[in-house]
Amino acid sequence: MCGIFTYYGHKNTAPELVIEGLKKLEYRGYDSWGIAYKTNDEIEIRKEIGKIGDIKVKDLDLKHSNIAIGHSRWATHGGVNKKNAHPHFTEEKDIALVHNGIFENYVEIKKYLEKKGHTFKSDTDTEVIAHLIEEHAKTHEFEDAVKLATQEIEGRYAIVVLNSSNETMIAARKGSPLILGVGHTEGEYFIASDIPAFLKYTNKVIYLDDNQMTVIKDGEAKFYDMEKHEEIEKRIVEIDWDEESAEMGDFAHFMIKEITEQKETLARAINQDPKIIEKVAKAIESAKGTYFVGCGTAGKVGMVGEYLFAKIAKKHTNFAFGSEFSNYKDFLTKDTLMICISQSGETADTLEAIEVAKEKGVKIVSIVNVETSTMARMSDIVVPIKAGPEKAVASTKATTSQLAILTLLAYACDGGVKKGQQELINAAGQINDMLNPRYEEHIMKIAEKIKEVESMYIIGRGANYPMALEAAIKLQEVSYIHAEGFAGGELKHGPIALITENTPVIALVANDDSKKEIISNATEIKARGGYIIGVAPENDDIFDFWIRVPDTQAVSPIVNIIPVQILAYQLAVLRKNDPDKPRNLAKSVTVK
Ligand code: M6R
């Protein structure tokens, strides 16, 4: 939620660099953007509404500067307009600030500052932080003023502050991501919400942890623990992602690139270190109660986990969305196990669930894509899904890799991690054959047919029920068509009233004991005029349109979601939506 990118160094093109960096972070928020940079003694501010990706740097008439901060926004406090866009600054315009997160007690601090004579131009919580720092700076050194301000802020945040009078850049975080890139030339630093934004310049990174701050001044970065009030040493980590994997290459959008990559990403997920899988399986075996926790698509993957464990490992597990998890806190003990699923590892609702669990001594496992994320660092065991950077807002390759890990875990708990691996390898091979232009052309026929519909529905049974919910998310978020997923057996209890002539209904079919029943549910829908799109290993008379998937039994949630990902993408393109940056959304949701 919101992208931060800043540059401090020798290059005098800092504003251009920051704009280019923000373009790479646009998936985090894209309703407005802004930069602040130092020229002589002034801070220049430039803010615009809309997507930064559409901006041509040469049209902006930027001045030279070697120190700049920037932000692309996903609005929380205050509407989408120029005055609410970041950076925010003080009256004197010598302090500018960008912020990702939510500052919960800003109303009372704003009132206090107003009494002290501060006036505010925006409706944001962020502007209040800039003024709070300014207020403290009247009686303290600038660094201490930032420290004091952060101690008064309640909520999750990542901030970067630029002070033009002493050419200092300060970054601090609590709950929202912020990473420092160490440039190849001495005294050069990048700060960003996500690594791919500066990968072009450096792969050497330093992760700021919660309650830590970095002060970049006189060409040097120093680090502080804001709680212990002491300077600390931080380790430089070398990242092995290449820039290309974070770029679009020849694809029209990241979403289709990432869908296509599933041939490789699944193979990487399956080739996990078996020791990690076995370690987690042992933890599940010995736990008295296991909870899968995640949000959005990752939540749906957690729901699939419940089904996989029931079916394969014959084991009862529980599922909760991150935002609902605290309702179960009375059942948590030190023998409980929590398995968190997240692409980014930065989702605020899941992080909060972990905090609730940790208070009760619960052991935490995280299945994450970003191995160095906050979630990973809060966990006792980390299972990396190794999908590589996922940039499209709609999760695709991370989803199937997470599903693959849960399948492996379920088999491992049944004593057969090798069997699980074999089933997944077979499925990955068939997915490899399936993902080709002819397959996409076939799905395009149905996309063309249904592109103007107002509503569509998806049904599934067993592990394909949560996949029907996930299919609905995919269709909603990029095509903006009203889509809803149901358990196949549930329609007749109410939702079937929504079916009229030619209402498209996707049936996710697995070749197992649920097959007869899901076909029978599709038949009930067809009898009411529904248009049945069967995603199934075999054709059936009941289907009006058939999308073939490999026959993979326990792996059917993975193979069944892929054609729906492709359909959602194609509908987005046909309806002239941006599939990578759908309206109102952001890639990682770092607010509650
Ligand atoms: O980074 P996470 O996996 O924790 O994100 C969780 C959800 O916000 C995410 O899956 C969201 O639902 C996606 N946009 C769905 O495609």
Side-chain angles (χ1 to χ4, degrees):
M1 278 275 104
C2 299
I4 290 177
F5 190 95
T6 77
Y7 176 80
Y8 176 108
H10 312 289
K11 298 186 178 80
N12 67 1
T13 52
E16 287 88 340
L17 264 161
V18 165
I19 287 174
E20 290 309 326
L22 287 178
K23 285 185 180 181
K24 294 189 178 151
L25 288 172
E26 205 181 16
Y27 60 92
R28 300 182 62 88
Y30 34 83
D31 49 43
S32 53
W33 63 272
I35 58 166
Y37 58 98
K38 185 187 153 27
T39 57
N40 302 320
D41 285 338
E42 291 250 293
I43 289 188
E44 298 271 340
I45 310 267
R46 180 85 192 229
K47 299 184 187 191
E48 297 296 339
I49 307 300
K51 294 178 179 168
I52 196 168
D54 302 335
I55 296 296
K56 290 199 178 66
V57 171
K58 63 176 172 30
D59 297 341
L60 292 177
D61 195 22
L62 299 165
K63 296 182 187 150
H64 287 312
S65 171
N66 66 333
I67 173 166
I69 63 175
H71 186 269
S72 68
R73 181 171 187 242
W74 187 86
T76 54
H77 292 85
V80 178
N81 52 40
K82 264 197 195 184
K83 74 172 189 208
N84 289 336
H86 299 210
H88 290 280
F89 45 91
T90 54
E91 225 112 335
E92 300 296 318
K93 241 179 157 189
D94 56 344
I95 296 174
L97 181 139
V98 287
H99 168 218
N100 170 21
I102 287 189
F103 171 15
E104 284 162 4
N105 54 338
Y106 83 103
V107 175
E108 52 201 269
I109 294 183
K110 189 171 181 177
K111 280 188 191 145
Y112 156 82
L113 289 169
E114 276 167 344
K115 278 193 198 138
K116 293 238 164 209
H118 292 258
T119 54
F120 296 88
K121 297 183 189 69
S122 77
D123 313 311
T124 64
D125 48 348
T126 307
E127 191 185 9
V128 178
I129 314 178
H131 283 259
L132 185 60
I133 293 171
E134 184 185 43
E135 185 60 30
H136 285 305
K138 288 178 185 165
T139 47
H140 293 84
E141 290 293 315
F142 181 60
E143 292 156 44
D144 294 330
V146 177
K147 252 184 245 166
L148 284 169
T150 55
Q151 276 155 12
E152 285 164 48
I153 300 173
E154 283 167 18
R156 293 179 180 279
Y157 64 83
I159 56 169
V160 185
V161 198
L162 169 64
N163 183 338
S164 64
S165 38
N166 59 3
E167 290 210 2
T168 307
M169 191 180 277
I170 299 185
R173 71 159 272 178
K174 186 177 158 205
S176 295
L178 215 48
I179 303 124
L180 188 89
V182 181
H184 290 304
T185 52
E186 220 187 307
E188 184 178 52
Y189 299 98
F190 304 83
I191 299 171
S193 308
D194 206 351
I195 296 167
F198 56 65
L199 259 185
K200 180 175 170 188
Y201 303 100
T202 181
N203 66 341
K204 288 189 192 157
V205 309
I206 295 176
Y207 293 96
L208 274 192
D209 287 313
D210 279 353
N211 296 310
Q212 291 182 349
M213 167 171 142
T214 178
V215 178
I216 310 175
K217 193 174 161 184
D218 302 327
E220 196 188 352
K222 289 188 174 167
F223 299 88
Y224 298 89
D225 182 315
M226 294 190 289
E227 280 180 333
K228 293 189 187 141
H229 303 281
E230 61 187 26
E231 193 174 342
I232 49 171
E233 289 286 319
K234 293 288 292 179
R235 197 165 58 93
I236 296 183
V237 179
E238 292 208 12
I239 297 295
D240 60 5
W241 294 356
D242 54 10
E243 204 207 334
E244 198 189 320
S245 64
E247 296 301 336
M248 223 147 58
D250 292 334
F251 290 89
H253 297 99
F254 278 111
M255 185 174 174
I256 190 67
K257 175 188 179 239
E258 289 159 7
I259 290 172
T260 312
E261 276 174 4
Q262 289 176 104
K263 311 168 199 173
E264 296 95 37
T265 52
L266 269 168
R268 286 208 294 272
I270 302 163
N271 282 326
Q272 280 290 327
D273 179 355
K275 285 198 206 99
I276 300 183
I277 298 294
E278 271 149 21
K279 194 169 168 193
V280 179
K282 269 200 194 121
I284 298 172
E285 292 293 350
S286 55
K288 294 201 179 86
T290 296
Y291 286 85
F292 294 110
V293 178
C295 300
T297 292
K300 306 302 177 293
V301 172
M303 286 173 88
V304 174
E306 260 192 312
Y307 282 92
L308 293 176
F309 271 74
K311 194 153 188 172
I312 300 169
K314 311 278 180 274
K315 200 162 175 45
H316 173 243
T317 54
N318 309 281
F319 161 76
F321 288 120
S323 55
E324 293 294 317
F325 181 74
S326 61
N327 291 302
Y328 301 93
K329 65 171 183 264
D330 292 339
F331 307 119
L332 306 177
T333 70
K334 60 175 183 26
D335 295 322
T336 312
L337 183 72
M338 181 185 198
I339 302 185
C340 296
I341 301 154
S342 175
Q343 188 285 129
S344 62
E346 301 293 349
T347 300
D349 287 334
T350 312
L351 293 179
E352 255 194 24
I354 295 180
E355 279 161 18
V356 168
K358 278 190 164 246
E359 271 173 32
K360 300 281 186 136
V362 170
K363 190 168 188 178
I364 317 289
V365 174
S366 61
I367 300 176
V368 287
N369 195 23
V370 183
E371 290 175 47
T372 44
S373 57
T374 308
M375 204 173 294
R377 280 177 290 145
M378 286 169 94
S379 303
D380 300 291
I381 309 176
V382 179
V383 187
I385 65 168
K386 298 185 182 299
E390 189 181 67
K391 299 225 62 193
V393 165
S395 179
T396 54
K397 61 176 181 173
T399 311
T400 47
S401 293
Q402 290 159 348
L403 288 167
I405 301 290
L406 288 182
T407 311
L408 281 179
L409 282 173
Y411 274 104
C413 283
D414 189 41
V417 68
K418 286 230 167 70
K419 185 169 179 232
Q421 248 166 344
Q422 201 45 58
E423 290 222 10
L424 284 161
I425 289 167
N426 292 345
Q430 296 185 65
I431 288 167
N432 196 6
D433 299 339
M434 172 176 122
L435 280 170
N436 60 49
R438 258 189 308 125
Y439 196 67
E440 285 177 33
E441 276 160 31
H442 177 66
I443 298 174
M444 185 55 108
K445 287 187 203 137
I446 189 67
E448 289 279 5
K449 182 176 164 65
I450 65 172
K451 66 178 186 229
E452 308 291 354
V453 298
E454 275 181 17
S455 295
M456 60 191 295
Y457 303 97
I458 308 96
I459 56 169
R461 293 183 85 105
N464 276 292
Y465 157 51
M467 277 296 99
L469 302 179
E470 162 53 12
I473 294 193
K474 241 20 9 119
L475 291 157
Q476 292 156 359
E477 68 184 332
V478 298
S479 78
Y480 311 156
I481 293 174
H482 168 234
E484 275 188 74
F486 295 103
E490 276 298 294
L491 256 83
K492 58 184 179 289
H493 297 287
I496 204 160
L498 298 167
I499 305 296
T500 56
E501 200 57 32
N502 278 327
T503 306
V505 177
I506 302 177
L508 302 180
V509 182
N511 198 10
D512 59 15
D513 49 12
S514 69
K515 180 178 164 186
K516 243 169 87 189
E517 276 143 1
I518 193 78
I519 296 288
S520 137
N521 299 141
T523 313
E524 292 152 12
I525 295 164
K526 184 141 176 159
R528 271 102 192 149
Y531 181 89
I532 310 296
I533 303 159
V535 173
E538 285 164 8
N539 201 354
D540 194 285
D541 289 347
I542 204 71
F543 299 155
D544 294 292
F545 190 89
W546 176 42
I547 304 177
R548 188 175 186 280
V549 287
D551 185 356
T552 53
Q553 309 269 325
V555 189
S556 77
I558 297 180
V559 297
N560 282 355
I561 198 62
I562 292 174
V564 185
Q565 295 171 345
I566 297 172
L567 178 64
Y569 169 76
Q570 292 174 340
L571 286 169
V573 174
L574 290 173
R575 290 165 66 94
K576 308 216 176 327
N577 303 338
D578 182 343
D580 287 346
K581 300 181 201 92
R583 70 182 176 212
N584 304 339
L585 289 170
K587 182 66 181 163
S588 41
V589 185
T590 53
V591 293
K592 281 194 280 175

